Amino acid sequence: MLRHPDTLQFGAAPAAQQHAARAAVTPNMKTLYLIRHGEGWHNIGFETNLDPHLTPRGWAQTAALQQHLATLQPKLNIELVVVSPLRRTLETAAGVFGAIKPPMTELAVQEATASDKPATGWVLMHPQVAKQNEISERAQIYLPAVSTGAEAAAAAATAAGARQGVGGQAEIGGGPRPLPLLANDGCRERIGPNVCDKFRDIPLQVADFPGIDFSSIEHIHDDLWEQLHNAECRDGGCYRIGEEEIACEQRALEFYRWLLNRLVDCATWPHSSTVIRVQKVGSRWLN
């Protein structure tokens, strides 16, 4: 595991080793957790699915990670979650950090009383209806609260309501704050020939994942996938059409710099190609 003073820890150590190292770092050391998404339908032969969902096994993997994180002592102090705009990473983040019900603060009680859609400001992901080889059945998932105990109780006592923030992220007035989840296309999959690597139009993602902030996504359509998909073959290998290796590494470097500027303990849900390249460029940066 590599460390950068006053900025960030970096590495791909096993979870227990990484957590033990994190507990020993100085207060001004920040930690980045790189976590690949769960199994998607494209991983088991359905590469022609546009922006595929997680399989039932993929959802089970998110539940297993959520349970693992709950057993860690001391608890992880994750202040920000960054995800790729592709659906498999959005669902993975929802499955790992989401809750089956909203925090029952005074605000949540007020919303439940006044509306047939209780605690709408806390919705992370809307429910999904199963479709063979495409969609797994899922109930609605809610955002977790980041403030607890006396702090949460005091904040809830002054809660006056909620308003909708940029990109679908809810801002809860006065009460416990939801864990911020941001979408950033810097950590997307390497853009190859398959439509599974193309994200749906952002307004559709916002509608399905209202608890995730998509405001940093520059284009609502995946124009880059379209451009590279129609380009001539470039660098050979598995991905014969699409993003060149040097372009993918440059994108990973820009994403890594963006993360460094956040200076918070962060969990990010990229793809396998991004994990490899962020580690590669991060090692160069730190050394």
Side-chain angles (χ1 to χ4, degrees):
M1 178 174 294
L2 303 174
R3 295 183 180 180
H4 194 289
D6 301 313
T7 53
L8 176 144
Q9 275 187 290
F10 183 88
Q17 178 185 341
Q18 181 172 339
H19 185 60
R22 175 66 186 91
V25 300
T26 56
N28 62 347
M29 190 76 72
K30 296 301 178 181
T31 306
L32 170 64
Y33 302 94
L34 294 172
I35 308 168
R36 189 192 179 197
H37 61 79
E39 180 186 80
W41 288 104
H42 66 297
N43 294 131
I44 58 172
F46 297 94
E47 294 90 349
T48 56
N49 287 8
L50 170 64
D51 199 1
H53 293 266
L54 295 182
T55 65
R57 183 186 181 195
W59 280 108
Q61 290 168 340
T62 72
L65 180 54
Q66 185 181 65
Q67 292 170 7
H68 170 71
L69 295 180
T71 65
L72 293 179
Q73 294 296 332
K75 299 294 185 184
L76 297 185
N77 181 34
I78 293 175
E79 301 162 272
L80 174 67
V81 174
V82 182
V83 294
S84 154
L86 281 95
R87 193 155 41 187
R88 50 191 179 271
T89 62
L90 304 175
E91 292 181 352
T92 300
V96 172
F97 283 110
I100 60 173
K101 61 182 180 180
M104 288 310 293
T105 61
E106 179 180 332
L107 171 61
V109 173
Q110 289 174 355
E111 287 186 338
T113 303
S115 172
D116 60 349
K117 296 180 179 179
T120 53
W122 287 90
V123 174
L124 170 52
M125 188 190 86
H126 287 303
Q128 299 178 349
V129 178
K131 185 176 181 180
Q132 187 175 9
N133 298 331
E134 186 174 343
I135 306 175
S136 305
E137 185 83 17
R138 289 299 301 180
Q140 187 156 274
I141 298 176
Y142 294 90
L143 287 160
V146 294
S147 58
T148 57
E151 179 186 354
T158 60
R163 66 182 179 86
Q164 193 70 16
V166 176
Q169 175 65 50
E171 296 182 9
I172 308 301
R177 298 284 170 171
L179 178 69
L181 288 89
L182 302 179
N184 186 300
D185 54 5
C187 61
R188 66 175 297 163
E189 178 63 278
R190 182 182 182 188
I191 302 171
N194 295 320
V195 74
C196 62
D197 295 333
K198 177 183 180 181
F199 62 74
R200 298 187 307 160
D201 287 355
I202 294 302
L204 298 176
Q205 307 291 52
V206 170
D208 288 345
F209 300 89
I212 295 179
D213 185 347
F214 292 89
S215 61
S216 68
I217 305 297
E218 185 175 356
H219 303 288
I220 65 171
H221 308 295
D222 198 347
D223 298 331
L224 183 58
W225 187 93
E226 293 285 356
Q227 294 168 7
L228 293 176
H229 182 68
N230 294 327
E232 295 181 356
C233 296
R234 297 176 185 268
D235 60 338
C238 178
Y239 289 93
R240 295 187 57 80
I241 299 174
E243 198 170 16
E244 294 180 354
E245 177 65 21
I246 189 171
C248 196
E249 285 195 17
Q250 180 61 34
R251 178 163 57 81
L253 177 59
E254 292 172 359
F255 176 65
Y256 183 61
R257 287 171 173 164
W258 181 87
L259 288 171
L260 285 176
N261 289 332
R262 294 299 168 282
L263 293 181
V264 294
D265 284 0
C266 175
T268 180
W269 260 266
H271 305 256
S272 57
S273 65
T274 315
V275 170
I276 293 169
R277 288 168 180 84
V278 168
Q279 291 182 65
K280 187 175 181 180
V281 300
S283 297
R284 292 175 186 167
W285 178 277
L286 297 182
N287 292 325

